[in-house]
Amino acid sequence: MLRKMTCIECPKGCQLEINEEGGRVISLTGNQCEKGLAYGRQEIESPMRILTTTVLTEGLDLKLVPVRTDKPIPKARLLEAMALISGARLTHPVAVGEVVIKDLLCLGVDLIATRSVQ
Amino acid sequence: MAAALAAYQAGVKDILLIERDQYLGGILNQCIHPGFGLHHFKTDLTGPEYADRFIKQVAAAQEIEVSLRSFVVRLTADRELTYLKPGGMVTLQPRALIMATGCRERTREMIHIAGTRPAGIFPAGLAQKMVNIEGWLPGKEIVVIGSGDIGLIMARRFTLEGARVKAVVEIQKESRGLVRNVVQCLEDFQIPLYLNHRVALIHGRDRVEKVTVENNETKETFELTCDTVLVSVGLIPENELIEQAGSPDPAKPNLPGLFVCGNSLKVYDLVDNVTRDSQKAGEAAAEYLKNA
Ligand SMILES: Cc1cc2nc3c(=O)[nH]c(=O)nc-3n(C[C@H](O)[C@H](O)[C@H](O)COP(=O)(O)OP(=O)(O)OC[C@H]3O[C@@H](n4cnc5c(N)ncnc54)[C@H](O)[C@@H]3O)c2cc1C
Ligand code: SF4
């Protein structure tokens, strides 16, 4: 299957054309450097994203605490992670960087606070 | 905060930081996405994390006094300012004044979209505040007007929160946002981006029902049903107070002892540059005080 994507490794934004089968790259064109090749391969084989969102609080001085994953997670699992996070409630104060949800979806990634809340 | 800290480090020891909100950090608090601090801190932070680093520095600088929930309502040419705070009104005349009041969003009224005036049309930054600070999703089916970074980031944010973003409509031939944001905010979620198109009409009686989108070249139109339209069409510096003081151009305030920085001077894309220039404003104010 032919896939088109934009390389985001540098501001040139090369348009990559990738011939892929079953999640494996067969050929890649349009890149102007090696980074584009690595990017295209990663995006086809296992695209990863940092997730940033908010968690509802109870009894704290902000209604929401902003959070992010401390490492990228598979793009395909973003919405699943969101479903889990939307059911979570933070009931104790946290400082920036402290864990709000441990081992999110058993991915070995923690959800951490990006703002302190009392 | 950057200006106050720079003035402090340059030897000024009596500094008051006035903020109308209940916390420091300004717009950064609602920008929960990453992309901040790559230059200044050499690491990729979210908006609240970037703010937090400065909040801690300000807290550590004991001579910087912070006054929250304090709304400056009046400024005169000789730097006499008046602010309201819980329980009272304060007037003071600092020897030097740094204005860092940020910016405002352009609204639908400023870009002339025809149609009715139903509920459900929001400036994108206001919608960002509703979702990220107040925890309230203002709609379920969204059309975004404008493909700058704020529009793109809000398209992703609404999608993650379970809304359906029908399209981002951009009047120019290219997105005004970073390629990274086009990819990770739109392509990741298969949100269509209509370049060289404009929203010609907004329909709906009480609430938005649909929009008519027009191709700028062919003039062909199509409709998208939606209950919410986010308008992300740019920012304008907030400097009513400087105008009130009698100086129409904030870039050249022409009032001795008055300095302007951040988005109230000009609209910045990167907070790192706001920090850098605000530090210069803080140093300039310190210099002015030495010579005054
Ligand atoms: C949606 C969005 C996304 C962005 N994304 C990025 C990004 O990914 N990376 C990046 O580097 N930059 C980004 N930026 C840009 C950057 O964050 C801002 O330019 C920067 O934070 C602006 O700082 P500021 O201090 O000038 O203004 P603000 O943060 O707006 O601060 C102004 C402060 O002044 C206060 N104030 C105003 N008037 C009064 C008054 N009369 N009395 C008392 N207080 C008053 C306000 O309450 C506010 O706290 C983004 C901006 C926006 C809006
Ligand atoms: S392929 Fe290389 S040159 Fe092209 S956008 Fe990617 S990093 Fe930049």
Side-chain angles (χ1 to χ4, degrees):
Chain A
M1 190 173 68
L2 191 67
R3 294 255 310 256
K4 291 184 183 178
M5 65 176 68
T6 313
C7 177
I8 60 172
E9 293 292 323
C10 88
K12 281 189 189 157
C14 297
Q15 293 296 316
L16 309 179
E17 287 204 3
I18 303 170
N19 204 345
E20 135 241 14
E21 222 163 286
R24 287 266 163 263
V25 175
I26 295 167
S27 68
L28 185 152
T29 56
N31 60 317
Q32 289 180 31
C33 75
E34 285 300 307
K35 273 203 217 157
L37 182 64
Y39 173 79
R41 185 163 278 153
Q42 168 86 27
E43 280 296 290
I44 295 291
E45 291 173 3
S46 62
M48 306 288 277
R49 300 285 184 265
I50 295 269
L51 174 63
T52 59
T53 183
T54 52
V55 171
L56 276 166
T57 66
E58 270 170 18
L60 303 177
D61 68 3
L62 297 174
K63 196 169 166 204
L64 301 166
V65 60
V67 292
R68 67 177 169 88
T69 54
D70 65 349
K71 290 191 274 298
I73 66 170
K75 183 176 107 178
R77 303 197 66 185
L78 287 174
L79 292 176
E80 203 185 328
M82 282 299 295
L84 180 99
I85 294 165
S86 67
R89 298 289 178 274
L90 181 75
T91 53
H92 60 274
V94 288
V96 173
E98 281 181 14
V99 176
V100 174
I101 300 180
K102 229 188 142 40
D103 198 12
L104 190 69
L105 299 174
C106 305
L107 290 166
V109 170
D110 294 335
L111 196 69
I112 60 172
T114 56
R115 187 172 176 188
S116 297
V117 47
Q118 292 299 307
Chain B
M1 288 191 279
L5 285 161
Y8 175 73
Q9 275 146 16
V12 184
K13 290 299 173 221
D14 185 7
I15 301 175
L16 176 64
L17 191 53
I18 303 176
E19 169 57 56
R20 68 181 166 198
D21 221 327
Q22 317 173 35
Y23 31 70
L24 295 174
I27 200 89
L28 288 169
N29 286 305
Q30 68 185 62
C31 298
I32 63 167
H33 57 281
F36 299 82
L38 284 162
H39 299 280
H40 190 73
F41 291 114
K42 306 279 177 267
T43 169
D44 194 359
L45 302 169
T46 64
E49 288 168 313
Y50 191 96
D52 184 67
R53 294 198 176 195
F54 279 91
I55 291 170
K56 284 181 177 140
Q57 290 178 49
V58 166
Q62 289 194 348
E63 286 89 345
I64 302 181
E65 185 191 334
V66 175
S67 183
L68 297 174
R69 296 172 214 243
S70 303
F71 197 154
V72 179
V73 290
R74 200 172 133 261
L75 178 65
T76 67
D78 51 3
R79 288 188 311 280
E80 188 180 271
L81 63 89
T82 306
Y83 62 96
L84 302 168
K85 65 177 206 177
M89 193 163 97
V90 184
T91 297
L92 46 82
Q93 191 177 27
R95 288 172 58 217
L97 176 64
I98 302 174
M99 298 293 287
T101 48
C103 60
R104 254 182 293 174
E105 285 182 280
R106 293 176 64 192
T107 58
R108 172 196 178 173
E109 280 66 35
M110 299 181 193
I111 58 164
H112 306 296
I113 303 167
T116 51
R117 295 275 178 278
I121 305 170
F122 301 93
L126 176 65
Q128 184 181 47
K129 185 166 189 193
M130 289 173 180
V131 178
N132 291 346
I133 306 276
E134 276 140 38
W136 179 61
L137 200 64
K140 281 280 163 206
E141 288 197 303
I142 322 288
V143 169
V144 181
I145 302 179
S147 69
D149 288 315
I150 304 178
L152 300 176
I153 278 162
M154 288 317 292
R156 172 175 63 189
R157 189 72 190 114
F158 270 78
T159 307
L160 287 174
E161 288 295 339
R164 220 176 126 222
V165 180
K166 292 289 192 73
V168 174
V169 181
E170 169 60 58
I171 199 161
Q172 306 290 334
K173 292 197 171 89
E174 274 174 42
S175 165
R176 284 174 292 145
L178 298 172
V179 178
R180 175 178 214 95
N181 285 333
V182 174
V183 172
Q184 298 195 347
C185 299
L186 302 187
E187 292 174 16
D188 270 9
F189 304 99
Q190 287 99 44
I191 299 170
L193 170 61
Y194 294 104
L195 297 171
N196 205 10
H197 280 68
R198 69 185 187 104
V199 169
L201 258 176
I202 298 179
H203 309 257
R205 270 174 47 108
D206 300 326
R207 179 82 193 192
V208 175
E209 284 159 18
K210 62 183 179 187
V211 296
T212 303
V213 181
E214 182 185 74
N215 183 315
N216 287 337
E217 261 154 37
T218 64
K219 303 290 168 201
E220 276 171 61
T221 62
F222 60 93
E223 288 179 347
L224 294 169
T225 56
C226 57
D227 58 24
T228 300
V229 175
L230 300 188
V231 185
S232 172
V233 290
L235 304 165
I236 37 177
E238 167 73 71
N239 39 48
E240 258 175 24
L241 288 166
I242 303 170
E243 281 168 25
Q244 207 186 82
S247 176
D249 183 1
K252 301 185 201 73
N254 278 335
L255 300 173
L258 180 71
F259 302 85
V260 187
C261 63
N263 278 344
S264 53
L265 177 62
K266 61 172 200 221
V267 173
Y268 287 80
D269 284 333
L270 283 184
V271 70
D272 305 72
N273 297 339
V274 172
T275 298
R276 185 197 60 210
D277 292 353
S278 301
Q279 286 170 335
K280 286 187 196 143
E283 285 157 12
E287 194 57 35
Y288 169 83
L289 288 177
K290 268 184 212 144
N291 301 329

PDB file of all heavy atoms in Angstrom, chain B residues 114-128:
ATOM      1  N   ALA B 114     -20.637  35.866   7.086  1.00  0.00           N
ATOM      2  CA  ALA B 114     -22.061  36.159   6.994  1.00  0.00           C
ATOM      3  C   ALA B 114     -22.874  35.115   7.741  1.00  0.00           C
ATOM      4  O   ALA B 114     -22.365  34.055   8.118  1.00  0.00           O
ATOM      5  CB  ALA B 114     -22.471  36.200   5.523  1.00  0.00           C
ATOM      6  N   GLY B 115     -24.147  35.395   7.926  1.00  0.00           N
ATOM      7  CA  GLY B 115     -25.049  34.421   8.509  1.00  0.00           C
ATOM      8  C   GLY B 115     -25.708  34.936   9.766  1.00  0.00           C
ATOM      9  O   GLY B 115     -25.661  36.124  10.076  1.00  0.00           O
ATOM     10  N   THR B 116     -26.327  33.998  10.501  1.00  0.00           N
ATOM     11  CA  THR B 116     -27.052  34.371  11.708  1.00  0.00           C
ATOM     12  C   THR B 116     -26.084  34.527  12.868  1.00  0.00           C
ATOM     13  O   THR B 116     -24.871  34.376  12.701  1.00  0.00           O
ATOM     14  CB  THR B 116     -28.100  33.287  12.032  1.00  0.00           C
ATOM     15  OG1 THR B 116     -27.430  32.024  12.010  1.00  0.00           O
ATOM     16  CG2 THR B 116     -29.201  33.286  10.989  1.00  0.00           C
ATOM     17  N   ARG B 117     -26.608  34.819  14.032  1.00  0.00           N
ATOM     18  CA  ARG B 117     -25.769  35.015  15.219  1.00  0.00           C
ATOM     19  C   ARG B 117     -26.159  34.004  16.304  1.00  0.00           C
ATOM     20  O   ARG B 117     -26.607  34.387  17.372  1.00  0.00           O
ATOM     21  CB  ARG B 117     -25.946  36.446  15.764  1.00  0.00           C
ATOM     22  CG  ARG B 117     -25.457  37.548  14.832  1.00  0.00           C
ATOM     23  CD  ARG B 117     -23.957  37.767  15.044  1.00  0.00           C
ATOM     24  NE  ARG B 117     -23.409  38.776  14.155  1.00  0.00           N
ATOM     25  CZ  ARG B 117     -23.048  38.543  12.899  1.00  0.00           C
ATOM     26  NH1 ARG B 117     -23.212  37.350  12.359  1.00  0.00           N
ATOM     27  NH2 ARG B 117     -22.512  39.500  12.178  1.00  0.00           N
ATOM     28  N   PRO B 118     -26.047  32.714  15.993  1.00  0.00           N
ATOM     29  CA  PRO B 118     -26.447  31.725  16.994  1.00  0.00           C
ATOM     30  C   PRO B 118     -25.379  31.525  18.065  1.00  0.00           C
ATOM     31  O   PRO B 118     -24.249  31.996  17.915  1.00  0.00           O
ATOM     32  CB  PRO B 118     -26.587  30.448  16.161  1.00  0.00           C
ATOM     33  CG  PRO B 118     -25.611  30.623  15.051  1.00  0.00           C
ATOM     34  CD  PRO B 118     -25.502  32.099  14.782  1.00  0.00           C
ATOM     35  N   ALA B 119     -25.750  30.798  19.129  1.00  0.00           N
ATOM     36  CA  ALA B 119     -24.764  30.408  20.130  1.00  0.00           C
ATOM     37  C   ALA B 119     -23.882  29.310  19.547  1.00  0.00           C
ATOM     38  O   ALA B 119     -24.268  28.634  18.594  1.00  0.00           O
ATOM     39  CB  ALA B 119     -25.474  29.894  21.376  1.00  0.00           C
ATOM     40  N   GLY B 120     -22.695  29.116  20.109  1.00  0.00           N
ATOM     41  CA  GLY B 120     -21.839  28.025  19.657  1.00  0.00           C
ATOM     42  C   GLY B 120     -20.639  28.485  18.853  1.00  0.00           C
ATOM     43  O   GLY B 120     -19.941  27.669  18.265  1.00  0.00           O
ATOM     44  N   ILE B 121     -20.402  29.794  18.809  1.00  0.00           N
ATOM     45  CA  ILE B 121     -19.220  30.299  18.110  1.00  0.00           C
ATOM     46  C   ILE B 121     -18.253  30.829  19.164  1.00  0.00           C
ATOM     47  O   ILE B 121     -18.597  31.721  19.927  1.00  0.00           O
ATOM     48  CB  ILE B 121     -19.597  31.422  17.124  1.00  0.00           C
ATOM     49  CG1 ILE B 121     -20.684  30.921  16.167  1.00  0.00           C
ATOM     50  CG2 ILE B 121     -18.370  31.898  16.343  1.00  0.00           C
ATOM     51  CD1 ILE B 121     -21.302  32.010  15.320  1.00  0.00           C
ATOM     52  N   PHE B 122     -17.063  30.241  19.202  1.00  0.00           N
ATOM     53  CA  PHE B 122     -16.107  30.609  20.252  1.00  0.00           C
ATOM     54  C   PHE B 122     -14.747  30.951  19.668  1.00  0.00           C
ATOM     55  O   PHE B 122     -14.273  30.252  18.776  1.00  0.00           O
ATOM     56  CB  PHE B 122     -15.885  29.434  21.218  1.00  0.00           C
ATOM     57  CG  PHE B 122     -17.110  28.954  21.911  1.00  0.00           C
ATOM     58  CD1 PHE B 122     -17.852  27.917  21.381  1.00  0.00           C
ATOM     59  CD2 PHE B 122     -17.523  29.544  23.096  1.00  0.00           C
ATOM     60  CE1 PHE B 122     -19.004  27.468  22.011  1.00  0.00           C
ATOM     61  CE2 PHE B 122     -18.668  29.102  23.740  1.00  0.00           C
ATOM     62  CZ  PHE B 122     -19.410  28.057  23.201  1.00  0.00           C
ATOM     63  N   PRO B 123     -14.086  31.951  20.203  1.00  0.00           N
ATOM     64  CA  PRO B 123     -12.664  32.107  19.884  1.00  0.00           C
ATOM     65  C   PRO B 123     -11.931  30.861  20.399  1.00  0.00           C
ATOM     66  O   PRO B 123     -12.252  30.347  21.483  1.00  0.00           O
ATOM     67  CB  PRO B 123     -12.237  33.346  20.665  1.00  0.00           C
ATOM     68  CG  PRO B 123     -13.497  34.035  21.068  1.00  0.00           C
ATOM     69  CD  PRO B 123     -14.549  32.971  21.161  1.00  0.00           C
ATOM     70  N   ALA B 124     -10.961  30.359  19.631  1.00  0.00           N
ATOM     71  CA  ALA B 124     -10.332  29.079  19.981  1.00  0.00           C
ATOM     72  C   ALA B 124      -9.616  29.123  21.330  1.00  0.00           C
ATOM     73  O   ALA B 124      -9.624  28.152  22.080  1.00  0.00           O
ATOM     74  CB  ALA B 124      -9.365  28.659  18.884  1.00  0.00           C
ATOM     75  N   GLY B 125      -9.003  30.240  21.639  1.00  0.00           N
ATOM     76  CA  GLY B 125      -8.292  30.341  22.917  1.00  0.00           C
ATOM     77  C   GLY B 125      -9.240  30.316  24.108  1.00  0.00           C
ATOM     78  O   GLY B 125      -8.921  29.766  25.161  1.00  0.00           O
ATOM     79  N   LEU B 126     -10.426  30.894  23.921  1.00  0.00           N
ATOM     80  CA  LEU B 126     -11.433  30.840  24.987  1.00  0.00           C
ATOM     81  C   LEU B 126     -11.896  29.400  25.172  1.00  0.00           C
ATOM     82  O   LEU B 126     -12.040  28.909  26.299  1.00  0.00           O
ATOM     83  CB  LEU B 126     -12.614  31.753  24.639  1.00  0.00           C
ATOM     84  CG  LEU B 126     -13.777  31.726  25.628  1.00  0.00           C
ATOM     85  CD1 LEU B 126     -13.334  32.290  26.976  1.00  0.00           C
ATOM     86  CD2 LEU B 126     -14.968  32.526  25.097  1.00  0.00           C
ATOM     87  N   ALA B 127     -12.104  28.703  24.043  1.00  0.00           N
ATOM     88  CA  ALA B 127     -12.495  27.292  24.113  1.00  0.00           C
ATOM     89  C   ALA B 127     -11.408  26.482  24.816  1.00  0.00           C
ATOM     90  O   ALA B 127     -11.685  25.573  25.599  1.00  0.00           O
ATOM     91  CB  ALA B 127     -12.733  26.747  22.709  1.00  0.00           C
ATOM     92  N   GLN B 128     -10.150  26.851  24.564  1.00  0.00           N
ATOM     93  CA  GLN B 128      -9.033  26.167  25.222  1.00  0.00           C
ATOM     94  C   GLN B 128      -9.119  26.333  26.734  1.00  0.00           C
ATOM     95  O   GLN B 128      -8.918  25.392  27.494  1.00  0.00           O
ATOM     96  CB  GLN B 128      -7.720  26.737  24.696  1.00  0.00           C
ATOM     97  CG  GLN B 128      -6.491  26.048  25.221  1.00  0.00           C
ATOM     98  CD  GLN B 128      -5.226  26.680  24.683  1.00  0.00           C
ATOM     99  OE1 GLN B 128      -5.088  27.904  24.698  1.00  0.00           O
ATOM    100  NE2 GLN B 128      -4.305  25.870  24.209  1.00  0.00           N
TER     101      GLN B 128
END
